[in-house]
Amino acid sequence: MQDKELKEIVTLLRQKPQLSVLTGAGISAESGIPTFRGQNGLWKQFRAEELATPEAFERNPKLVWEWYDWRRRIIAEREPNPGHLVLARWEREFPGFILITQNVDGLHRRAGSKSILELHGNIWQVRCLKEGTVRDNFESPLTTIPPVCPTCGSLLRPNVVWFGEALPRDILEKAYAASSKAELMFVIGTSAYVYPAASLPLVAAEAGAKIVEINPDYTPLSASADYILRGKAGEVLMAIDEALKENS
Ligand code: OAD
């Protein structure tokens, strides 16, 4: 890893800045959860418009739920990795720390993070199509597909954001606020293709934050990043965390 960059980032962290973090599927890759884009990405094997749109669900809720049930089963068998764990620790060490994630896998929560803004929802929550009520649902595999609401019998849907849908407004507003007030923002494991999530680091940079990108590959955000650490999220975050603890 780039030693000079690492040292400078550690110096910035030691000043206890207002720290915000944006994560994407790449942070869960080391846990064995497939990302969306890239060589073995989900969108290489499946068509988003058949599985992750409101129209797809209207057409064939069973098919959509079978896909989500499959993804839930993969996630249930996996564990948070050192990347998730470092971020959960940083939440306790940096006052005002905010974690913004595009991930629906719930691994940040399982790692112990509490202050999380889940921009794209959570795969372990279901929402009643009629009542709009959101409930936790950890049944894996699901016994009934598609599942129905225990109170009114209507269809339940995964409480995630599909293509063509708006992000939850309150969460997005909080994410913009956290980005505007950040002094340092880590952008970890996201291809930065999907908006509005990809605009958050730009908002932070515009407001004066230093941007650190952690990703093995180039992204459209790389050009705006102040520091780029090319590597796997878990390994890079562990290295930063260890350097932070040395002589501190
Ligand atoms: P992507 O699959 O688009 O991008 C994953 C990123 O992680 C890529 O830039 C990889 O280079 C990087 N990556 C892979 N392995 C990594 C590792 N070990 N450590 C760090 N980075 C690694 O995932 P997202 O950017 O999260 O939305 O995708 C954004 C949204 O597109 C998702 O939330 C989902 C998807 O369609 C919805 O479903 C609404």
Side-chain angles (χ1 to χ4, degrees):
M1 197 187 310
Q2 308 85 329
D3 228 26
K4 183 171 163 282
E5 299 227 296
L6 183 71
K7 279 199 186 122
E8 288 183 21
I9 292 164
V10 168
T11 304
L12 287 175
L13 284 169
R14 288 215 169 116
Q15 294 162 8
K16 294 276 156 133
Q18 183 69 47
L19 180 59
S20 296
V21 176
L22 172 68
T23 64
I27 196 163
S28 296
E30 284 154 277
S31 296
I33 296 171
T35 61
F36 293 94
R37 297 167 186 83
Q39 232 177 12
N40 299 313
L42 292 173
W43 298 146
K44 285 267 154 47
Q45 309 165 54
F46 302 100
R47 290 165 63 88
E49 57 274 31
E50 283 169 14
L51 297 165
T53 63
E55 295 77 22
F57 191 72
E58 220 167 281
R59 253 190 329 263
N60 196 340
K62 186 164 177 288
L63 177 75
V64 171
W65 261 116
E66 278 166 355
W67 190 64
Y68 276 91
D69 189 45
W70 170 75
R71 286 180 57 199
R72 284 161 54 115
R73 272 183 283 150
I74 295 177
I75 297 164
E77 288 165 6
R78 307 295 198 262
E79 296 296 331
N81 66 57
H84 297 108
L85 296 172
V86 166
L87 294 181
R89 269 205 304 281
W90 284 4
E91 177 178 331
R92 298 191 288 274
E93 289 167 17
F94 292 89
F97 176 98
I98 305 270
L99 175 56
I100 307 164
T101 189
Q102 297 165 85
N103 299 347
V104 298
D105 58 28
L107 283 185
H108 283 304
R109 253 174 231 286
R110 274 168 62 193
S113 285
K114 298 210 159 41
S115 177
I116 316 174
L117 298 173
E118 292 177 320
L119 292 176
H120 294 164
N122 189 308
I123 204 166
W124 300 107
Q125 290 176 340
V126 292
R127 186 161 89 230
C128 174
L129 278 194
K130 189 165 164 218
E131 299 170 338
T133 358
V134 174
R135 290 188 180 81
D136 286 342
N137 176 314
F138 296 102
E139 189 186 29
S140 180
L142 287 164
T143 42
T144 316
I145 293 184
V148 292
C149 178
T151 55
C152 76
S154 300
L155 263 183
L156 292 172
R157 61 163 280 176
N159 191 37
V160 299
V161 175
W162 283 325
F163 288 99
E165 291 187 314
L167 274 60
R169 205 172 132 190
D170 54 331
I171 293 177
L172 187 61
E173 275 171 11
K174 285 182 187 158
Y176 275 120
S179 306
S180 319
K181 72 173 190 204
E183 292 167 314
L184 183 61
M185 185 177 216
F186 278 67
V187 185
I188 308 172
T190 177
S191 60
Y193 279 126
V194 174
Y195 281 78
S199 68
L200 296 170
L202 304 175
V203 168
E206 182 73 16
K210 295 265 185 239
I211 307 293
V212 178
E213 178 179 68
I214 303 177
N215 197 310
D217 293 325
Y218 177 88
T219 77
L221 196 79
S222 301
S224 321
D226 297 279
Y227 301 96
I228 300 176
L229 298 173
R230 292 273 170 247
K232 294 184 176 175
E235 292 174 10
V236 174
L237 284 169
M238 283 255 286
I240 299 174
D241 196 48
E242 272 161 25
L244 198 52
K245 284 181 199 143
E246 274 170 27
N247 312 316
S248 64

